[in-house]
């Protein structure tokens, strides 16, 4: 007989917005699952750029979400909210949460939960939701990726970048990636990238144009790359911006936009409606997981850190040392 969850739990909290040293272990109230939710005893939590931006005070949790960092978790079902079917206490699950992953317990919408099979480790499971669901949303749903097309993926060795390269290949498209080192270029090629361009030594736009351009760009850089992105797109090309690592401001050449009939749109995963997240979860469960199990694509877990070492995990990501995903092990 399983024990009921405790009234309080340990969690990584913050003394104030700021650097990685503001993260500290503390105690807070254990959440109670609402209707349609699972309470999950967290065993692993993914670390994402969004966590860093939230930690800095520049990306607050949406209304109603936990202010605790952490957007993807893997663990065991500890309790069921009203109306939940298809899951039982003790089930191994993973999924995308709106916040609260850096804690012993968090709530996870049942529609965003996936049962974890034995072939998938808990750490690897925690590395999947944010990266693959972001890639699917922006390449397939918003970007309209079609077989035979070529995409340009900036930060190709990031968690999202590594997923996007492989998703393109899985769907019959090809990918070009930008990276900051030769080691990351080799990593992207190992995932199936047609070409990896080191932006420190080459002009990515010139390289892409020399190849004839691309139909779709997934960009986490923002302002600094806008002009190069528009130059890299073929007529009727699509640019989807998902981050602002290179700043928010840029001058837009509207003439180029008109002449080439280009589309530019912004996108974030966290505020998406529940039904969108549910559909992305279904894509992860029904398409990505079978492809992983069959060896058609690869897991991209780069490094795990003990949950008490979260500041080091954040610095590792901030220093761009990762090739793929970073995960915290919650004890």
């Amino acid at each position: 007989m399983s024990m009921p969850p405790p009234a309080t739990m340990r969690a990584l909290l913050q003394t104030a917005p700021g650097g990685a040293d503001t993260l500290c272990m503390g105690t807070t109230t254990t959440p109670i699952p609402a209707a349609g939710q699972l309470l999950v005893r967290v065993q692993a939590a993914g670390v994402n750029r969004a966590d860093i931006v939230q930690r800095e005070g520049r990306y607050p949790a949406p209304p109603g979400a936990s202010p605790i960092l952490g957007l993807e978790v893997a663990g065991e079902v500890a309790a069921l909210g009203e109306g939940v079917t298809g899951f039982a206490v003790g089930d191994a699950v993973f999924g995308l949460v709106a916040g609260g992953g850096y804690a012993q317990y968090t709530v996870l919408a049942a529609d965003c939960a996936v049962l974890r099979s034995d072939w998938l480790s808990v750490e690897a499971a925690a590395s999947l939701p944010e990266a693959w669901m972001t890639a699917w949303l922006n390449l397939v749903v918003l970007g309209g990726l079609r077989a035979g097309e070529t995409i340009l993926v900036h930060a190709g060795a990031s968690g999202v970048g590594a997923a996007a390269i492989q998703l393109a290949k899985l769907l019959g498209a090809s990918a070009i990636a930008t990276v900051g080192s030769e080691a990351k270029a080799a990593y992207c090629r190992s995932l199936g990238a047609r070409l990896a361009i080191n932006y420190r030594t080459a002009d990515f736009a010139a390289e892409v144009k020399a190849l004839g351009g691309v139909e779709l760009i997934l960009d986490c850089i923002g302002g600094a790359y806008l002009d190069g992105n528009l130059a890299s797109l073929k007529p009727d090309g699509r640019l989807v911006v998902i981050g602002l690592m290179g700043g928010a401001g840029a001058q837009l050449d509207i003439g180029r936009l008109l002449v080439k009939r280009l589309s530019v749109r912004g996108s974030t995963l966290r505020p998406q409606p529940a039904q969108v997240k549910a559909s992305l979860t279904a894509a992860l469960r029904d398409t990505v997981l079978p492809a992983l199990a069959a060896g058609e694509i690869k897991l991209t877990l780069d490094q795990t850190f003990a949950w008490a070492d979260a500041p080091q995990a954040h610095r590792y990501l901030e220093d761009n040392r990762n090739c793929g995903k970073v995960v915290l092990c919650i004890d």
Side-chain angles (χ1 to χ4, degrees):
M1 184 174 179
S2 61
M3 295 290 291
T8 61
M9 64 177 184
R10 295 168 68 216
L12 275 168
L13 308 175
Q14 275 190 276
T15 54
D21 57 355
T22 62
L23 296 174
C24 61
M25 198 66 70
T27 301
T28 187
T29 303
T30 302
I32 298 173
Q37 291 182 333
L38 310 173
L39 180 68
V40 176
R41 182 174 68 82
V42 182
Q43 297 170 315
V47 180
N48 294 288
R49 288 277 174 185
D51 301 338
I52 293 170
V53 181
Q54 180 178 338
R55 188 203 71 208
E56 294 171 338
R58 298 186 291 121
Y59 190 37
S66 170
I68 297 170
L69 303 183
L71 300 179
E72 55 188 343
V73 298
E76 293 182 351
V77 176
L80 303 175
E82 184 181 351
V84 172
T85 60
F87 296 94
V89 172
D91 281 349
V93 296
F94 63 99
L96 188 78
V97 295
Y102 292 12
Q104 286 183 301
Y105 293 88
T106 193
V107 290
L108 169 63
D111 286 346
C112 291
V114 181
L115 290 168
R116 179 176 65 85
S117 300
D118 290 340
W119 64 266
L120 186 64
S121 74
V122 68
E123 297 85 3
S127 77
L128 296 175
E130 193 273 345
W132 282 95
M133 290 167 70
T134 296
W136 193 283
L137 170 66
N138 295 294
L139 296 187
V140 179
V141 180
L142 303 181
L145 180 63
R146 295 180 287 272
E149 292 188 324
T150 301
I151 69 170
L152 173 62
V153 180
H154 291 303
S158 67
V160 172
I165 290 169
Q166 296 196 90
L167 181 57
K169 180 181 177 182
L170 185 65
L171 299 178
S174 63
I176 297 170
T178 63
V179 294
S181 71
E182 290 309 312
K184 291 191 174 188
Y187 175 71
C188 291
R189 289 192 294 268
S190 76
L191 298 177
R194 166 185 169 191
L195 174 68
I197 302 167
N198 188 335
Y199 64 82
R200 300 183 190 277
T201 59
D203 179 343
F204 79 82
E207 297 267 345
V208 172
K209 287 171 65 179
L211 294 173
V214 296
E215 285 86 3
L216 176 62
I217 299 177
L218 183 65
D219 176 40
C220 61
I221 306 299
Y225 276 11
L226 179 61
D227 192 63
N229 283 334
L230 299 185
S232 300
L233 285 169
K234 293 180 179 180
D236 298 306
R238 296 95 67 197
L239 167 63
V240 183
V241 181
I242 62 170
L244 299 172
M245 293 173 62
Q251 186 170 352
L252 174 62
D253 184 345
I254 297 177
R256 175 182 281 159
L257 203 71
L258 295 176
V259 170
K260 295 176 70 176
R261 304 179 302 278
L262 305 178
S263 300
V264 179
R265 70 180 303 162
S267 170
T268 53
L269 177 61
R270 193 176 190 181
Q272 291 292 330
Q275 62 268 28
V276 172
K277 292 181 180 178
S279 70
L280 296 173
T281 300
L284 174 63
R285 181 190 64 231
D286 299 338
T287 301
V288 175
L289 281 184
L292 281 169
E296 298 174 73
I297 54 178
K298 303 176 184 178
L299 291 167
T300 59
L301 176 59
D302 172 81
Q303 189 78 268
T304 61
F305 289 82
W307 135 11
D309 294 330
Q312 292 94 308
H314 275 222
R315 294 187 189 104
Y316 183 80
L317 199 63
E318 289 176 286
D319 292 342
N320 295 318
R321 285 184 278 165
N322 60 301
C323 283
K325 291 287 296 187
V326 175
V327 167
L328 298 178
C329 299
I330 311 296
D331 56 47

